[in-house]
Amino acid sequence: MAGPFDKADHGLLLPGVAHAESLALIPLRRHEQLDGVLCFPAPTVALHQELASDFLAHLGLVAAICIENAVNRARLLRSGYTDFLTGFHNRRYLHARLRESWRGRSAPGSRSCA
């Protein structure tokens, strides 16, 4: 959905934008669920008129898929560090934390006990 930019209406949504004439709001939908909105301000109204609405809808779909992939990857990484039955951290988590602590210990000025 593209339309004119109004500082009074869209100022809270895009606080750093001072000189925009047009604004495109692209819903990020995946599996019939709204995940967010992409906001594209433009200096001229003609810019959003040149971009076809099909392109903007496709852009929203691609961005929603990318966000879903990032969320799924984070869930997968987290599931590798937790026990399925209890939900507590497992041995892999302990080893990762020990590696982080050991690396931090070798940094200059760090104070940790080993």
Side-chain angles (χ1 to χ4, degrees), residues 62-107:
V62 169
I65 290 170
C66 291
I67 291 171
E68 183 182 23
N69 284 342
V71 168
N72 287 337
R73 178 167 167 66
R75 284 182 187 154
L76 183 64
L77 288 173
R78 186 178 32 184
S79 71
Y81 288 126
T82 55
D83 181 57
F84 178 72
L85 293 175
T86 63
F88 293 129
H89 295 298
N90 61 14
R91 181 178 47 86
R92 281 188 216 112
Y93 178 79
L94 174 67
H95 285 279
R97 292 296 301 200
L98 286 173
R99 272 193 303 272
E100 289 174 14
S101 296
W102 189 256
R103 283 188 201 127
R105 185 174 168 265
S106 62

mmCIF file of all heavy atoms in Angstrom, residues 62-107:
data_model
loop_
_atom_site.group_PDB
_atom_site.id
_atom_site.type_symbol
_atom_site.label_atom_id
_atom_site.label_comp_id
_atom_site.label_asym_id
_atom_site.label_seq_id
_atom_site.Cartn_x
_atom_site.Cartn_y
_atom_site.Cartn_z
ATOM 1 N N VAL A 62 8.986 -12.172 0.201
ATOM 2 C CA VAL A 62 10.379 -12.609 0.319
ATOM 3 C C VAL A 62 10.958 -12.199 1.670
ATOM 4 O O VAL A 62 11.641 -12.987 2.339
ATOM 5 C CB VAL A 62 11.230 -12.048 -0.845
ATOM 6 C CG1 VAL A 62 12.718 -12.261 -0.606
ATOM 7 C CG2 VAL A 62 10.807 -12.690 -2.157
ATOM 8 N N ALA A 63 10.684 -10.975 2.104
ATOM 9 C CA ALA A 63 11.184 -10.515 3.409
ATOM 10 C C ALA A 63 10.584 -11.344 4.542
ATOM 11 O O ALA A 63 11.281 -11.691 5.502
ATOM 12 C CB ALA A 63 10.863 -9.036 3.597
ATOM 13 N N ALA A 64 9.294 -11.688 4.440
ATOM 14 C CA ALA A 64 8.652 -12.509 5.471
ATOM 15 C C ALA A 64 9.277 -13.901 5.533
ATOM 16 O O ALA A 64 9.489 -14.453 6.622
ATOM 17 C CB ALA A 64 7.152 -12.608 5.215
ATOM 18 N N ILE A 65 9.598 -14.474 4.386
ATOM 19 C CA ILE A 65 10.245 -15.790 4.351
ATOM 20 C C ILE A 65 11.638 -15.710 4.974
ATOM 21 O O ILE A 65 12.038 -16.595 5.735
ATOM 22 C CB ILE A 65 10.306 -16.329 2.902
ATOM 23 C CG1 ILE A 65 8.904 -16.686 2.427
ATOM 24 C CG2 ILE A 65 11.225 -17.528 2.801
ATOM 25 C CD1 ILE A 65 8.813 -16.998 0.950
ATOM 26 N N CYS A 66 12.374 -14.643 4.692
ATOM 27 C CA CYS A 66 13.710 -14.474 5.283
ATOM 28 C C CYS A 66 13.628 -14.355 6.800
ATOM 29 O O CYS A 66 14.440 -14.943 7.520
ATOM 30 C CB CYS A 66 14.393 -13.244 4.696
ATOM 31 S SG CYS A 66 14.856 -13.436 2.975
ATOM 32 N N ILE A 67 12.652 -13.618 7.291
ATOM 33 C CA ILE A 67 12.481 -13.481 8.743
ATOM 34 C C ILE A 67 12.115 -14.821 9.356
ATOM 35 O O ILE A 67 12.641 -15.214 10.403
ATOM 36 C CB ILE A 67 11.426 -12.405 9.060
ATOM 37 C CG1 ILE A 67 11.979 -11.036 8.691
ATOM 38 C CG2 ILE A 67 11.002 -12.457 10.517
ATOM 39 C CD1 ILE A 67 10.967 -9.929 8.746
ATOM 40 N N GLU A 68 11.221 -15.559 8.689
ATOM 41 C CA GLU A 68 10.839 -16.877 9.195
ATOM 42 C C GLU A 68 12.045 -17.819 9.234
ATOM 43 O O GLU A 68 12.224 -18.568 10.198
ATOM 44 C CB GLU A 68 9.734 -17.475 8.328
ATOM 45 C CG GLU A 68 9.244 -18.804 8.830
ATOM 46 C CD GLU A 68 8.182 -19.417 7.944
ATOM 47 O OE1 GLU A 68 8.110 -19.070 6.751
ATOM 48 O OE2 GLU A 68 7.436 -20.260 8.454
ATOM 49 N N ASN A 69 12.899 -17.765 8.211
ATOM 50 C CA ASN A 69 14.100 -18.599 8.195
ATOM 51 C C ASN A 69 15.043 -18.242 9.339
ATOM 52 O O ASN A 69 15.629 -19.120 9.975
ATOM 53 C CB ASN A 69 14.829 -18.466 6.858
ATOM 54 C CG ASN A 69 14.152 -19.236 5.760
ATOM 55 O OD1 ASN A 69 13.343 -20.119 6.011
ATOM 56 N ND2 ASN A 69 14.459 -18.880 4.526
ATOM 57 N N ALA A 70 15.202 -16.955 9.620
ATOM 58 C CA ALA A 70 16.070 -16.535 10.721
ATOM 59 C C ALA A 70 15.514 -17.006 12.059
ATOM 60 O O ALA A 70 16.277 -17.460 12.929
ATOM 61 C CB ALA A 70 16.219 -15.016 10.708
ATOM 62 N N VAL A 71 14.208 -16.914 12.239
ATOM 63 C CA VAL A 71 13.586 -17.377 13.487
ATOM 64 C C VAL A 71 13.755 -18.888 13.632
ATOM 65 O O VAL A 71 14.093 -19.382 14.711
ATOM 66 C CB VAL A 71 12.102 -16.970 13.531
ATOM 67 C CG1 VAL A 71 11.363 -17.672 14.658
ATOM 68 C CG2 VAL A 71 11.973 -15.466 13.671
ATOM 69 N N ASN A 72 13.533 -19.625 12.550
ATOM 70 C CA ASN A 72 13.687 -21.084 12.601
ATOM 71 C C ASN A 72 15.131 -21.484 12.894
ATOM 72 O O ASN A 72 15.384 -22.437 13.633
ATOM 73 C CB ASN A 72 13.216 -21.725 11.299
ATOM 74 C CG ASN A 72 11.723 -21.705 11.174
ATOM 75 O OD1 ASN A 72 10.991 -21.610 12.160
ATOM 76 N ND2 ASN A 72 11.237 -21.779 9.947
ATOM 77 N N ARG A 73 16.087 -20.750 12.334
ATOM 78 C CA ARG A 73 17.502 -21.053 12.608
ATOM 79 C C ARG A 73 17.831 -20.808 14.078
ATOM 80 O O ARG A 73 18.523 -21.599 14.708
ATOM 81 C CB ARG A 73 18.402 -20.213 11.716
ATOM 82 C CG ARG A 73 19.871 -20.443 11.987
ATOM 83 C CD ARG A 73 20.743 -19.860 10.901
ATOM 84 N NE ARG A 73 22.134 -19.787 11.252
ATOM 85 C CZ ARG A 73 22.947 -20.812 11.461
ATOM 86 N NH1 ARG A 73 22.482 -22.025 11.349
ATOM 87 N NH2 ARG A 73 24.214 -20.628 11.773
ATOM 88 N N ALA A 74 17.326 -19.717 14.630
ATOM 89 C CA ALA A 74 17.567 -19.431 16.045
ATOM 90 C C ALA A 74 16.940 -20.505 16.931
ATOM 91 O O ALA A 74 17.539 -20.932 17.921
ATOM 92 C CB ALA A 74 17.010 -18.055 16.405
ATOM 93 N N ARG A 75 15.743 -20.958 16.570
ATOM 94 C CA ARG A 75 15.099 -22.035 17.339
ATOM 95 C C ARG A 75 15.912 -23.325 17.257
ATOM 96 O O ARG A 75 16.052 -24.047 18.244
ATOM 97 C CB ARG A 75 13.688 -22.292 16.812
ATOM 98 C CG ARG A 75 12.694 -21.267 17.217
ATOM 99 C CD ARG A 75 11.331 -21.624 16.685
ATOM 100 N NE ARG A 75 10.403 -20.543 16.931
ATOM 101 C CZ ARG A 75 9.332 -20.306 16.219
ATOM 102 N NH1 ARG A 75 9.041 -21.077 15.191
ATOM 103 N NH2 ARG A 75 8.546 -19.302 16.517
ATOM 104 N N LEU A 76 16.432 -23.616 16.072
ATOM 105 C CA LEU A 76 17.233 -24.825 15.891
ATOM 106 C C LEU A 76 18.516 -24.763 16.716
ATOM 107 O O LEU A 76 18.881 -25.738 17.378
ATOM 108 C CB LEU A 76 17.555 -25.019 14.413
ATOM 109 C CG LEU A 76 18.333 -26.265 14.040
ATOM 110 C CD1 LEU A 76 17.514 -27.510 14.360
ATOM 111 C CD2 LEU A 76 18.677 -26.240 12.568
ATOM 112 N N LEU A 77 19.181 -23.621 16.696
ATOM 113 C CA LEU A 77 20.396 -23.476 17.496
ATOM 114 C C LEU A 77 20.087 -23.596 18.981
ATOM 115 O O LEU A 77 20.822 -24.249 19.728
ATOM 116 C CB LEU A 77 21.058 -22.127 17.212
ATOM 117 C CG LEU A 77 21.726 -21.993 15.854
ATOM 118 C CD1 LEU A 77 22.197 -20.568 15.641
ATOM 119 C CD2 LEU A 77 22.882 -22.960 15.722
ATOM 120 N N ARG A 78 19.002 -22.987 19.417
ATOM 121 C CA ARG A 78 18.632 -23.063 20.832
ATOM 122 C C ARG A 78 18.253 -24.481 21.231
ATOM 123 O O ARG A 78 18.568 -24.943 22.322
ATOM 124 C CB ARG A 78 17.471 -22.112 21.107
ATOM 125 C CG ARG A 78 17.121 -22.012 22.571
ATOM 126 C CD ARG A 78 16.022 -21.035 22.810
ATOM 127 N NE ARG A 78 15.133 -21.022 21.664
ATOM 128 C CZ ARG A 78 14.109 -20.221 21.520
ATOM 129 N NH1 ARG A 78 13.830 -19.362 22.437
ATOM 130 N NH2 ARG A 78 13.343 -20.279 20.458
ATOM 131 N N SER A 79 17.602 -25.210 20.330
ATOM 132 C CA SER A 79 17.209 -26.584 20.670
ATOM 133 C C SER A 79 18.425 -27.493 20.799
ATOM 134 O O SER A 79 18.371 -28.499 21.503
ATOM 135 C CB SER A 79 16.241 -27.144 19.633
ATOM 136 O OG SER A 79 16.897 -27.389 18.407
ATOM 137 N N GLY A 80 19.530 -27.150 20.150
ATOM 138 C CA GLY A 80 20.753 -27.939 20.290
ATOM 139 C C GLY A 80 21.411 -27.776 21.639
ATOM 140 O O GLY A 80 22.238 -28.593 22.032
ATOM 141 N N TYR A 81 21.056 -26.719 22.370
ATOM 142 C CA TYR A 81 21.650 -26.460 23.675
ATOM 143 C C TYR A 81 20.719 -26.757 24.838
ATOM 144 O O TYR A 81 21.071 -26.504 25.985
ATOM 145 C CB TYR A 81 22.098 -25.004 23.776
ATOM 146 C CG TYR A 81 23.319 -24.699 22.953
ATOM 147 C CD1 TYR A 81 23.310 -23.662 22.029
ATOM 148 C CD2 TYR A 81 24.490 -25.418 23.107
ATOM 149 C CE1 TYR A 81 24.433 -23.367 21.277
ATOM 150 C CE2 TYR A 81 25.612 -25.137 22.362
ATOM 151 C CZ TYR A 81 25.573 -24.111 21.445
ATOM 152 O OH TYR A 81 26.689 -23.831 20.711
ATOM 153 N N THR A 82 19.525 -27.273 24.551
ATOM 154 C CA THR A 82 18.590 -27.577 25.640
ATOM 155 C C THR A 82 18.140 -29.034 25.562
ATOM 156 O O THR A 82 18.059 -29.622 24.486
ATOM 157 C CB THR A 82 17.348 -26.677 25.578
ATOM 158 O OG1 THR A 82 16.744 -26.795 24.296
ATOM 159 C CG2 THR A 82 17.694 -25.225 25.837
ATOM 160 N N ASP A 83 17.843 -29.571 26.722
ATOM 161 C CA ASP A 83 17.325 -30.925 26.813
ATOM 162 C C ASP A 83 15.854 -30.904 26.411
ATOM 163 O O ASP A 83 15.085 -30.045 26.863
ATOM 164 C CB ASP A 83 17.477 -31.454 28.238
ATOM 165 C CG ASP A 83 16.975 -32.881 28.367
ATOM 166 O OD1 ASP A 83 17.487 -33.743 27.627
ATOM 167 O OD2 ASP A 83 16.065 -33.106 29.179
ATOM 168 N N PHE A 84 15.447 -31.854 25.579
ATOM 169 C CA PHE A 84 14.085 -31.883 25.057
ATOM 170 C C PHE A 84 13.044 -32.097 26.155
ATOM 171 O O PHE A 84 11.999 -31.457 26.159
ATOM 172 C CB PHE A 84 13.962 -32.976 23.989
ATOM 173 C CG PHE A 84 12.587 -33.114 23.418
ATOM 174 C CD1 PHE A 84 12.088 -32.157 22.561
ATOM 175 C CD2 PHE A 84 11.784 -34.191 23.745
ATOM 176 C CE1 PHE A 84 10.824 -32.261 22.032
ATOM 177 C CE2 PHE A 84 10.508 -34.312 23.222
ATOM 178 C CZ PHE A 84 10.032 -33.348 22.366
ATOM 179 N N LEU A 85 13.328 -32.976 27.101
ATOM 180 C CA LEU A 85 12.346 -33.301 28.143
ATOM 181 C C LEU A 85 12.265 -32.250 29.241
ATOM 182 O O LEU A 85 11.183 -31.856 29.660
ATOM 183 C CB LEU A 85 12.666 -34.669 28.758
ATOM 184 C CG LEU A 85 12.484 -35.864 27.825
ATOM 185 C CD1 LEU A 85 12.951 -37.132 28.525
ATOM 186 C CD2 LEU A 85 11.036 -35.995 27.408
ATOM 187 N N THR A 86 13.416 -31.791 29.706
ATOM 188 C CA THR A 86 13.409 -30.886 30.858
ATOM 189 C C THR A 86 13.427 -29.411 30.472
ATOM 190 O O THR A 86 12.971 -28.570 31.240
ATOM 191 C CB THR A 86 14.628 -31.152 31.754
ATOM 192 O OG1 THR A 86 15.813 -30.879 31.007
ATOM 193 C CG2 THR A 86 14.636 -32.584 32.244
ATOM 194 N N GLY A 87 13.978 -29.094 29.303
ATOM 195 C CA GLY A 87 14.112 -27.698 28.906
ATOM 196 C C GLY A 87 15.338 -27.016 29.500
ATOM 197 O O GLY A 87 15.568 -25.839 29.263
ATOM 198 N N PHE A 88 16.131 -27.753 30.275
ATOM 199 C CA PHE A 88 17.350 -27.197 30.865
ATOM 200 C C PHE A 88 18.491 -27.276 29.857
ATOM 201 O O PHE A 88 18.469 -28.055 28.908
ATOM 202 C CB PHE A 88 17.749 -27.958 32.132
ATOM 203 C CG PHE A 88 16.773 -27.785 33.258
ATOM 204 C CD1 PHE A 88 16.277 -28.891 33.922
ATOM 205 C CD2 PHE A 88 16.349 -26.536 33.652
ATOM 206 C CE1 PHE A 88 15.377 -28.745 34.956
ATOM 207 C CE2 PHE A 88 15.461 -26.370 34.689
ATOM 208 C CZ PHE A 88 14.962 -27.482 35.346
ATOM 209 N N HIS A 89 19.522 -26.482 30.116
ATOM 210 C CA HIS A 89 20.700 -26.510 29.251
ATOM 211 C C HIS A 89 21.404 -27.860 29.361
ATOM 212 O O HIS A 89 21.422 -28.478 30.421
ATOM 213 C CB HIS A 89 21.673 -25.396 29.643
ATOM 214 C CG HIS A 89 21.115 -24.025 29.407
ATOM 215 N ND1 HIS A 89 20.770 -23.557 28.170
ATOM 216 C CD2 HIS A 89 20.840 -23.029 30.270
ATOM 217 C CE1 HIS A 89 20.312 -22.336 28.270
ATOM 218 N NE2 HIS A 89 20.333 -21.985 29.541
ATOM 219 N N ASN A 90 22.003 -28.298 28.257
ATOM 220 C CA ASN A 90 22.663 -29.602 28.235
ATOM 221 C C ASN A 90 24.190 -29.443 28.212
ATOM 222 O O ASN A 90 24.725 -28.352 28.384
ATOM 223 C CB ASN A 90 22.165 -30.435 27.051
ATOM 224 C CG ASN A 90 22.464 -29.785 25.714
ATOM 225 O OD1 ASN A 90 23.251 -28.857 25.624
ATOM 226 N ND2 ASN A 90 21.832 -30.273 24.672
ATOM 227 N N ARG A 91 24.866 -30.541 27.969
ATOM 228 C CA ARG A 91 26.329 -30.584 27.972
ATOM 229 C C ARG A 91 26.918 -29.680 26.883
ATOM 230 O O ARG A 91 27.930 -29.020 27.094
ATOM 231 C CB ARG A 91 26.777 -32.041 27.760
ATOM 232 C CG ARG A 91 28.270 -32.246 27.755
ATOM 233 C CD ARG A 91 28.623 -33.712 27.586
ATOM 234 N NE ARG A 91 27.894 -34.381 26.531
ATOM 235 C CZ ARG A 91 28.253 -34.402 25.239
ATOM 236 N NH1 ARG A 91 29.341 -33.770 24.848
ATOM 237 N NH2 ARG A 91 27.531 -35.036 24.340
ATOM 238 N N ARG A 92 26.299 -29.632 25.708
ATOM 239 C CA ARG A 92 26.802 -28.770 24.638
ATOM 240 C C ARG A 92 26.818 -27.306 25.071
ATOM 241 O O ARG A 92 27.739 -26.557 24.760
ATOM 242 C CB ARG A 92 25.942 -28.914 23.386
ATOM 243 C CG ARG A 92 26.242 -30.149 22.597
ATOM 244 C CD ARG A 92 25.480 -30.128 21.274
ATOM 245 N NE ARG A 92 25.084 -31.478 20.981
ATOM 246 C CZ ARG A 92 23.851 -31.936 20.980
ATOM 247 N NH1 ARG A 92 22.854 -31.131 21.228
ATOM 248 N NH2 ARG A 92 23.588 -33.187 20.723
ATOM 249 N N TYR A 93 25.775 -26.904 25.779
ATOM 250 C CA TYR A 93 25.708 -25.536 26.282
ATOM 251 C C TYR A 93 26.844 -25.274 27.275
ATOM 252 O O TYR A 93 27.501 -24.233 27.227
ATOM 253 C CB TYR A 93 24.355 -25.278 26.946
ATOM 254 C CG TYR A 93 24.216 -23.902 27.547
ATOM 255 C CD1 TYR A 93 23.937 -22.809 26.739
ATOM 256 C CD2 TYR A 93 24.386 -23.700 28.913
ATOM 257 C CE1 TYR A 93 23.822 -21.541 27.283
ATOM 258 C CE2 TYR A 93 24.273 -22.442 29.461
ATOM 259 C CZ TYR A 93 23.984 -21.364 28.634
ATOM 260 O OH TYR A 93 23.870 -20.112 29.172
ATOM 261 N N LEU A 94 27.068 -26.225 28.166
ATOM 262 C CA LEU A 94 28.145 -26.092 29.152
ATOM 263 C C LEU A 94 29.500 -25.929 28.463
ATOM 264 O O LEU A 94 30.280 -25.041 28.799
ATOM 265 C CB LEU A 94 28.171 -27.304 30.087
ATOM 266 C CG LEU A 94 29.335 -27.351 31.070
ATOM 267 C CD1 LEU A 94 29.223 -26.230 32.081
ATOM 268 C CD2 LEU A 94 29.395 -28.703 31.746
ATOM 269 N N HIS A 95 29.760 -26.762 27.456
ATOM 270 C CA HIS A 95 31.039 -26.685 26.748
ATOM 271 C C HIS A 95 31.170 -25.351 26.006
ATOM 272 O O HIS A 95 32.255 -24.758 25.976
ATOM 273 C CB HIS A 95 31.193 -27.853 25.774
ATOM 274 C CG HIS A 95 31.500 -29.142 26.460
ATOM 275 N ND1 HIS A 95 32.770 -29.478 26.865
ATOM 276 C CD2 HIS A 95 30.703 -30.168 26.828
ATOM 277 C CE1 HIS A 95 32.754 -30.661 27.450
ATOM 278 N NE2 HIS A 95 31.494 -31.102 27.446
ATOM 279 N N ALA A 96 30.092 -24.886 25.389
ATOM 280 C CA ALA A 96 30.138 -23.600 24.675
ATOM 281 C C ALA A 96 30.417 -22.456 25.643
ATOM 282 O O ALA A 96 31.220 -21.555 25.352
ATOM 283 C CB ALA A 96 28.834 -23.362 23.930
ATOM 284 N N ARG A 97 29.763 -22.471 26.788
ATOM 285 C CA ARG A 97 29.982 -21.418 27.783
ATOM 286 C C ARG A 97 31.404 -21.476 28.342
ATOM 287 O O ARG A 97 32.024 -20.436 28.590
ATOM 288 C CB ARG A 97 28.967 -21.536 28.923
ATOM 289 C CG ARG A 97 27.545 -21.229 28.529
ATOM 290 C CD ARG A 97 27.404 -19.816 28.115
ATOM 291 N NE ARG A 97 27.818 -18.986 29.240
ATOM 292 C CZ ARG A 97 27.506 -17.735 29.412
ATOM 293 N NH1 ARG A 97 26.791 -17.130 28.514
ATOM 294 N NH2 ARG A 97 27.924 -17.071 30.455
ATOM 295 N N LEU A 98 31.917 -22.684 28.559
ATOM 296 C CA LEU A 98 33.292 -22.809 29.041
ATOM 297 C C LEU A 98 34.287 -22.261 28.017
ATOM 298 O O LEU A 98 35.255 -21.586 28.376
ATOM 299 C CB LEU A 98 33.614 -24.268 29.371
ATOM 300 C CG LEU A 98 32.990 -24.815 30.646
ATOM 301 C CD1 LEU A 98 33.239 -26.314 30.758
ATOM 302 C CD2 LEU A 98 33.521 -24.087 31.868
ATOM 303 N N ARG A 99 34.040 -22.543 26.725
ATOM 304 C CA ARG A 99 34.907 -21.998 25.671
ATOM 305 C C ARG A 99 34.864 -20.466 25.676
ATOM 306 O O ARG A 99 35.897 -19.806 25.548
ATOM 307 C CB ARG A 99 34.492 -22.531 24.307
ATOM 308 C CG ARG A 99 35.144 -23.838 23.927
ATOM 309 C CD ARG A 99 34.950 -24.146 22.446
ATOM 310 N NE ARG A 99 33.549 -24.174 22.058
ATOM 311 C CZ ARG A 99 32.754 -25.253 22.109
ATOM 312 N NH1 ARG A 99 33.240 -26.392 22.534
ATOM 313 N NH2 ARG A 99 31.509 -25.186 21.720
ATOM 314 N N GLU A 100 33.664 -19.896 25.807
ATOM 315 C CA GLU A 100 33.534 -18.440 25.846
ATOM 316 C C GLU A 100 34.267 -17.863 27.047
ATOM 317 O O GLU A 100 34.951 -16.843 26.938
ATOM 318 C CB GLU A 100 32.061 -18.040 25.909
ATOM 319 C CG GLU A 100 31.302 -18.272 24.629
ATOM 320 C CD GLU A 100 29.812 -18.003 24.794
ATOM 321 O OE1 GLU A 100 29.412 -17.392 25.811
ATOM 322 O OE2 GLU A 100 29.048 -18.403 23.908
ATOM 323 N N SER A 101 34.109 -18.502 28.189
ATOM 324 C CA SER A 101 34.785 -18.023 29.395
ATOM 325 C C SER A 101 36.295 -18.113 29.248
ATOM 326 O O SER A 101 37.031 -17.223 29.679
ATOM 327 C CB SER A 101 34.349 -18.834 30.617
ATOM 328 O OG SER A 101 32.990 -18.655 30.865
ATOM 329 N N TRP A 102 36.759 -19.190 28.655
ATOM 330 C CA TRP A 102 38.196 -19.381 28.485
ATOM 331 C C TRP A 102 38.769 -18.337 27.526
ATOM 332 O O TRP A 102 39.827 -17.786 27.760
ATOM 333 C CB TRP A 102 38.476 -20.795 27.992
ATOM 334 C CG TRP A 102 39.934 -21.113 28.016
ATOM 335 C CD1 TRP A 102 40.779 -21.168 26.954
ATOM 336 C CD2 TRP A 102 40.724 -21.391 29.171
ATOM 337 N NE1 TRP A 102 42.039 -21.481 27.362
ATOM 338 C CE2 TRP A 102 42.039 -21.623 28.726
ATOM 339 C CE3 TRP A 102 40.448 -21.475 30.525
ATOM 340 C CZ2 TRP A 102 43.076 -21.922 29.598
ATOM 341 C CZ3 TRP A 102 41.482 -21.781 31.380
ATOM 342 C CH2 TRP A 102 42.771 -21.992 30.920
ATOM 343 N N ARG A 103 38.032 -18.030 26.449
ATOM 344 C CA ARG A 103 38.491 -17.001 25.508
ATOM 345 C C ARG A 103 38.509 -15.634 26.184
ATOM 346 O O ARG A 103 39.414 -14.839 25.970
ATOM 347 C CB ARG A 103 37.587 -16.956 24.283
ATOM 348 C CG ARG A 103 37.841 -18.059 23.313
ATOM 349 C CD ARG A 103 37.061 -17.842 22.035
ATOM 350 N NE ARG A 103 36.924 -19.110 21.352
ATOM 351 C CZ ARG A 103 35.797 -19.637 20.946
ATOM 352 N NH1 ARG A 103 34.673 -18.990 21.117
ATOM 353 N NH2 ARG A 103 35.770 -20.801 20.351
ATOM 354 N N GLY A 104 37.492 -15.347 26.969
ATOM 355 C CA GLY A 104 37.421 -14.076 27.672
ATOM 356 C C GLY A 104 38.508 -13.931 28.710
ATOM 357 O O GLY A 104 38.974 -12.835 29.005
ATOM 358 N N ARG A 105 38.932 -15.045 29.263
ATOM 359 C CA ARG A 105 39.971 -15.044 30.292
ATOM 360 C C ARG A 105 41.307 -14.623 29.716
ATOM 361 O O ARG A 105 42.104 -13.991 30.378
ATOM 362 C CB ARG A 105 40.085 -16.438 30.896
ATOM 363 C CG ARG A 105 41.029 -16.532 32.043
ATOM 364 C CD ARG A 105 40.932 -17.937 32.638
ATOM 365 N NE ARG A 105 42.014 -18.140 33.562
ATOM 366 C CZ ARG A 105 43.160 -18.712 33.259
ATOM 367 N NH1 ARG A 105 43.373 -19.156 32.043
ATOM 368 N NH2 ARG A 105 44.105 -18.844 34.159
ATOM 369 N N SER A 106 41.546 -14.964 28.453
ATOM 370 C CA SER A 106 42.833 -14.653 27.839
ATOM 371 C C SER A 106 42.890 -13.216 27.329
ATOM 372 O O SER A 106 43.937 -12.768 26.897
ATOM 373 C CB SER A 106 43.116 -15.624 26.687
ATOM 374 O OG SER A 106 42.135 -15.481 25.690
ATOM 375 N N ALA A 107 41.783 -12.489 27.388
ATOM 376 C CA ALA A 107 41.791 -11.091 26.948
ATOM 377 C C ALA A 107 42.535 -10.243 27.975
ATOM 378 O O ALA A 107 42.468 -10.491 29.172
ATOM 379 C CB ALA A 107 40.361 -10.591 26.785
#
